[in-house]
Amino acid sequence: MSVHIDIAGLRPERVAVVPSPLAELGMALHALSEPGHHPGLQGWVTGVTAGLDPHLADRMCEADFLWRTIFSDLFMPYAGIPGGALPGATLAEELDLLDKLTDEQFVDSALEFSCAMPYGVGPSPLVDAELGRRALELAAARGPQQEQFSKLLLSDPPRIRAWLRQFLQDCDEAFFGRTWSRLRHQLTADARHKTDLLHRKGLAEALTAVSPAVVLDEAAGEITVDKLTVGRTAARDGGLLLVPTSLGWPHLSVLYRPGWLPVLHYPVGSPELAAPPSVQQLALRMTALSHPVRMRICRYVARSAYTTSELAQALDMTPPEISRHLGVLKKADLITTRRRGRYVQHQLDIAVVARLGSDFLEGILR
């Protein structure tokens, strides 16, 4: 499971690394709604929440589905401008770009999160009555807030657009302006560093610096982003945007809406001590540990190093049976093997197993 970006024919000058105040505001709203996703931001979340005007806090709940599930593509409107556009230097500039999206683009992007409509597939519910009816059914199944929001969205898009713009401006005045003034220097520095890598060493090096989960296959002309989702888009002459976020870890987001510019929204200043495993490797490790015999083997080799024969005797199994289970654990990089004279001993890699919980969370939230 991955997201693939076709970059065949993409000119180097069409790749840009630019901070986005609107995308960072979207991530700020997400962190306030889902603080459990962002343990490193607890202090910031507590401070903002304590000083939040109750009326603004209530309004924040009216459409939090637009940013609670990570955040809507509406927070990256520049990607939807025909031919592509760069993020603005200020929130006001990006809100102006948001106003330039057509009603169909705005509604389609909002409905994806308010009622789980397919991601950018098919005609707009604004012009297809049957799709509009289906959207309201899906919204009602998700809750009364989503249903009310979707009804207004489909019947009066300008009203919702004006509401959202005013809400984002009020958030900027209440808390985000101060946060952005602190974060923009770090994000600008990171964008400058990635741009320098891009010019000096090429796209592959820049993407490696973005995240070990992003890999460029230069021969195939394709970027693969290791995520627990499936998607495909193409950059070509439209370009590719890399947008850093300071509030976003562990989320590595990819905008791959058809007809929009591909965007990689990546976290900077990650607290990770080591590169996380791929989704495939994570699944391999969890599958390896799900077998009761292998769990019993882990119990022994967590305490001391054992040979295959010693494990066979302890578990009352044959050496070939133990070898097969050890092979699964070794393939998942859960045990290490060392030779002592004519004996080969196996031991559990405690550090790898200890990271499984955080690796799992990072994998599903990436």
Side-chain angles (χ1 to χ4, degrees):
M1 289 184 286
S2 302
V3 177
H4 302 276
I5 304 173
D6 181 355
I7 60 165
L10 176 66
R11 302 194 306 273
E13 65 270 18
R14 298 294 290 169
V15 182
V17 192
V18 189
S20 166
L22 182 54
E24 197 69 354
L25 174 52
M27 194 53 72
L29 290 168
H30 168 69
L32 290 169
S33 299
E34 289 287 358
H37 289 192
H38 306 272
L41 298 178
Q42 290 294 344
W44 177 83
V45 168
T46 301
V48 171
T49 303
L52 210 57
D53 175 77
H55 179 59
L56 182 59
D58 289 342
R59 290 162 62 203
M60 196 176 290
C61 295
E62 291 177 19
D64 64 350
F65 36 83
L66 291 177
W67 49 80
R68 183 180 289 274
T69 311
I70 306 182
F71 61 96
S72 168
D73 291 345
L74 292 175
F75 290 99
M76 297 182 178
Y78 33 84
I81 303 298
L86 292 178
T90 67
L91 182 64
E93 289 179 22
E94 293 201 329
L95 291 178
D96 288 342
L97 290 175
L98 182 61
D99 288 342
K100 290 183 179 181
L101 295 181
T102 65
D103 282 348
E104 287 78 10
Q105 287 177 305
F106 185 93
V107 168
D108 291 352
S109 299
L111 283 178
E112 179 206 346
F113 287 94
S114 58
C115 60
M117 289 292 285
Y119 188 56
V121 177
S124 169
L126 279 181
V127 297
D128 188 311
E130 179 59 26
L131 272 179
R133 183 191 64 78
R134 178 60 177 156
L136 291 178
E137 286 181 354
L138 291 169
R142 293 175 73 91
Q145 282 183 305
Q146 286 91 329
E147 181 180 21
Q148 179 64 20
F149 179 86
S150 298
K151 282 181 179 177
L152 288 173
L153 186 65
L154 290 169
S155 63
D156 192 359
R159 179 179 172 184
I160 292 294
R161 297 182 72 150
W163 177 90
L164 181 62
R165 179 174 181 127
Q166 186 60 57
F167 169 74
L168 295 174
Q169 288 173 330
D170 291 345
C171 287
D172 186 48
E173 183 178 343
F175 66 89
F176 183 70
R178 296 187 300 275
T179 300
W180 179 250
S181 67
R182 175 173 55 86
L183 297 180
R184 65 186 175 89
H185 303 292
Q186 178 196 20
L187 297 179
T188 300
D190 183 84
R192 191 181 302 118
H193 171 61
K194 299 295 192 300
T195 301
D196 184 54
L197 281 176
L198 188 64
H199 291 162
R200 289 190 301 107
K201 299 189 176 181
L203 181 58
E205 196 77 21
L207 292 176
T208 298
V210 161
S211 170
V214 183
V215 177
L216 171 63
D217 184 336
E218 296 189 80
E222 183 174 85
I223 297 169
T224 299
V225 186
D226 187 49
K227 288 176 65 70
L228 270 169
T229 188
V230 177
R232 182 170 289 278
T233 187
R236 298 191 176 90
D237 281 343
L240 171 69
L241 279 177
L242 310 180
V243 177
T245 168
S246 185
L247 302 175
W249 188 89
H251 305 302
L252 172 65
S253 304
V254 188
L255 190 160
Y256 57 95
R257 180 176 294 277
W260 289 44
L261 202 69
V263 181
L264 274 172
H265 192 210
Y266 67 92
V268 303
S270 167
E272 299 164 284
L273 297 177
S278 67
V279 170
Q280 182 181 12
Q281 183 72 349
L282 180 62
L284 195 64
R285 288 175 179 174
M286 299 186 76
T287 301
L289 291 173
S290 66
H291 195 286
V293 171
R294 292 194 283 272
M295 289 179 68
R296 292 180 66 198
I297 289 175
C298 286
R299 179 176 182 273
Y300 281 94
V301 297
R303 303 178 184 194
S304 181
Y306 278 76
T307 66
T308 300
S309 296
E310 288 173 331
L311 287 169
Q313 183 176 358
L315 296 171
D316 194 23
M317 297 174 66
T318 66
E321 288 175 318
I322 293 296
S323 291
R324 283 194 294 271
H325 286 295
L326 286 172
V328 174
L329 292 169
K330 278 193 276 191
K331 187 176 180 181
D333 292 330
L334 291 169
I335 62 173
T336 59
T337 299
R338 65 188 181 189
R339 179 172 289 278
R340 288 288 185 268
R342 61 191 181 91
Y343 298 104
V344 176
Q345 297 178 321
H346 313 283
Q347 193 156 18
L348 190 70
D349 191 327
I350 298 292
V352 169
V353 177
R355 285 202 309 269
L356 269 178
S358 58
D359 285 346
F360 174 73
L361 285 173
E362 195 277 345
I364 62 175
L365 294 176
R366 182 183 297 160

